[in-house]
Amino acid sequence: DQQVKQNSPSLSVQEGRISILNCDYTNSMFDYFLWYKKYPAEGPTFLISISSIKDKNEDGRFTVFLNKSAKHLSLHIVPSQPGDSAVYFCAASVTGGFKTIFGAGTRLFVKA
Amino acid sequence: DAGVIQSPRHEVTEMGQEVTLRCKPISGHDYLFWYRQTMMRGLELLIYFNNNVPIDDSGMPEDRFSAKMPNASFSTLKIQPSEPRDSAVYFCASAYPSTDTQYFGPGTRLTVL
């Protein structure tokens, strides 16, 4: 039973355009959501997060949107750069619970 | 800060052998997590510790898997006996108690022949 789902295994985007990575969750108890980025042969690194009391959080070129009623979140990268090519994991947890559930990941290719 | 340290980085073993993966968390982090990454299932949480005590091991796939944290600076994940389906990348991560952000090590790529 996958509580966090990333239905797109891969995404290809042209440099300078917007990348939109999507994530759905099923557990309504989740109230904290994170995105991690992973390069080959490295561990995932934290990218951006959002609490359920917000519907948007921005950090430079990265913005995460949360739609609680749809149990859906998305990561927008604008403008996309070749260095953004990586696997992006969506993750969810209950605040203070520490048991973070990860999605399967979406591999982003940004073409120069 | 050296970050989370894992060893070995690569391990190739034969079916039936015992495998031990090691992790040194970031100093001061009270939480330690073991994950497994596969193509089919993505990143799965196996077990996590708080202050060296296992809190949730519901993700450990079978009794062949065991994890220990004898002190705040060291943890092991052991597979005995190993099977080909255990082949995956195993990550260790640690976190402060006041945040949900986890810091991952570089992973151990395990291949069981």
Side-chain angles (χ1 to χ4, degrees):
Chain A
D1 177 26
Q2 285 194 305
Q3 298 184 64
V4 178
K5 300 178 184 178
Q6 294 178 257
N7 292 320
S8 298
S10 65
L11 174 68
S12 185
V13 173
Q14 199 69 35
E15 181 180 9
R17 307 295 289 268
I18 184 171
S19 295
I20 300 176
L21 294 89
N22 293 304
C23 177
D24 298 294
Y25 62 95
T26 57
N27 189 341
S28 58
M29 296 295 291
F30 290 144
D31 60 0
Y32 193 69
F33 305 89
L34 311 94
W35 286 92
Y36 284 79
K37 179 178 180 179
K38 183 186 178 306
Y39 291 118
E42 296 182 9
T45 55
F46 170 74
L47 183 60
I48 193 170
S49 63
I50 187 167
S51 165
S52 61
I53 62 173
K54 295 184 175 181
D55 54 18
K56 177 183 173 181
N57 189 26
E58 230 173 315
D59 184 2
R61 296 185 297 112
F62 302 90
T63 302
V64 56
F65 295 91
L66 175 63
N67 182 334
K68 291 183 289 294
S69 61
K71 294 191 179 66
H72 177 84
L73 62 155
S74 60
L75 175 68
H76 292 210
I77 307 173
V78 183
S80 301
Q81 299 174 354
D84 296 330
S85 297
V87 176
Y88 290 79
F89 290 99
C90 171
S93 67
V94 177
T95 300
F98 279 94
K99 185 171 182 175
T100 303
I101 306 300
F102 284 79
T106 296
R107 184 178 296 277
L108 174 66
F109 300 92
V110 180
K111 298 175 289 187
Chain B
D1 195 334
V4 176
I5 299 172
Q6 291 187 248
S7 64
R9 293 294 309 273
H10 302 273
E11 176 80 33
V12 180
T13 190
E14 292 189 348
M15 182 174 65
Q17 297 297 306
E18 177 179 297
V19 174
T20 299
L21 312 181
R22 297 172 176 79
C23 175
K24 176 178 168 55
I26 293 172
S27 177
H29 283 192
D30 289 352
Y31 284 83
L32 184 138
F33 308 82
W34 282 101
Y35 290 89
R36 176 171 68 176
Q37 184 189 13
T38 61
M39 290 293 291
M40 293 299 294
R41 300 179 67 86
L43 204 55
E44 300 175 90
L45 176 64
L46 301 177
I47 184 171
Y48 77 95
F49 296 82
N50 176 217
N51 290 320
N52 314 336
V53 176
I55 302 301
D56 188 333
D57 65 355
S58 59
M60 296 286 262
E62 301 171 31
D63 291 345
R64 297 185 296 107
F65 286 69
S66 62
K68 294 182 180 180
M69 193 165 185
N71 57 63
S73 59
F74 184 65
S75 177
T76 60
L77 177 67
K78 185 176 293 187
I79 309 172
Q80 165 65 18
S82 58
E83 297 183 2
R85 59 191 167 124
D86 301 331
S87 297
V89 181
Y90 290 81
F91 290 102
C92 175
S94 66
Y96 285 115
S98 59
T99 175
D100 288 314
T101 302
Q102 298 176 24
Y103 295 80
F104 283 77
T108 296
R109 181 173 293 278
L110 173 65
T111 302
V112 183
L113 303 174

